[in-house]
Amino acid sequence: MSDTARLKSTVFVGGLDNAVDTNVLHNAFVPFGEIVDISLPKPELKSSVDPHRGFGYIEFELAEDAREAIDNMDQSELFGRVIKVAAAKPQKDASEGLGSKTALWQQESYLASHAVNEEDRLPVRNDGASAPYDPMQGLEGLDVAGPKAA
């Protein structure tokens, strides 16, 4: 199965209570189709006593089953908590985003969307001339302060 097909058949489940485990998720979502995998990410801190981070991912055999689960389970209640069920997004690279150790403006994704060519930085003149534009041109009469005589 390709990565895009896997992503389309995977759903994000958020807002999970600590009592929820893989068996509970399997039993809650199996009516919508064959489940391939369930993952509940563990907390990053070793000192944490929580069994998971409050969200998980469920991969279905078919993308249609995932859409059916989203349509039926989003904003439903599980163990007394309203859960969010949505299509899973692709995982970001560790070197991107706010948690990375690289400055935002040095990241490839930022450069791809915000980079500007040197040609785009050159000012354009109204008269069509190719000489550099002088921003101070036309300001000669402004050297006298105060109201103009009528």
Side-chain angles (χ1 to χ4, degrees):
M1 185 182 286
S2 70
D3 286 343
T4 55
R6 284 189 73 190
L7 190 61
K8 288 182 179 179
S9 63
T10 303
V11 297
F12 165 83
V13 183
L16 297 175
D17 187 69
N18 284 338
V20 175
D21 61 5
T22 56
N23 291 331
V24 171
L25 282 179
H26 185 274
N27 291 336
F29 283 86
V30 77
F32 305 107
E34 188 68 32
I35 295 175
V36 176
D37 185 37
I38 297 176
S39 68
L40 290 170
K42 303 285 184 211
E44 293 176 358
L45 295 174
K46 301 270 189 227
S47 61
S48 177
V49 294
D50 295 332
H52 53 76
R53 293 169 56 188
F55 65 90
Y57 297 95
I58 302 173
E59 183 182 345
F60 286 92
E61 184 74 32
L62 302 171
E64 297 85 33
D65 297 339
R67 283 193 298 275
E68 194 70 27
I70 292 168
D71 291 342
N72 287 293
M73 293 295 286
D74 188 33
Q75 301 301 313
S76 64
E77 191 173 318
L78 185 66
F79 277 74
R81 295 181 72 175
V82 177
I83 60 172
K84 168 75 175 156
V85 182
K89 295 179 181 175
Q91 188 173 6
K92 287 186 177 180
D93 188 16
S95 64
E96 290 187 18
L98 295 177
S100 74
K101 294 185 178 13
T102 307
L104 177 66
W105 52 88
Q106 291 179 338
Q107 296 175 11
E108 287 295 324
S109 60
Y110 180 84
L111 290 175
S113 61
H114 294 91
V116 178
N117 295 343
E118 288 302 318
E119 182 181 307
D120 292 339
R121 293 177 192 258
L122 295 175
V124 178
R125 292 185 60 173
N126 293 338
D127 58 3
S130 60
Y133 176 71
D134 181 13
M136 300 303 286
Q137 187 175 8
L139 301 177
E140 292 84 16
L142 298 177
D143 59 347
V144 179
K148 292 185 180 182

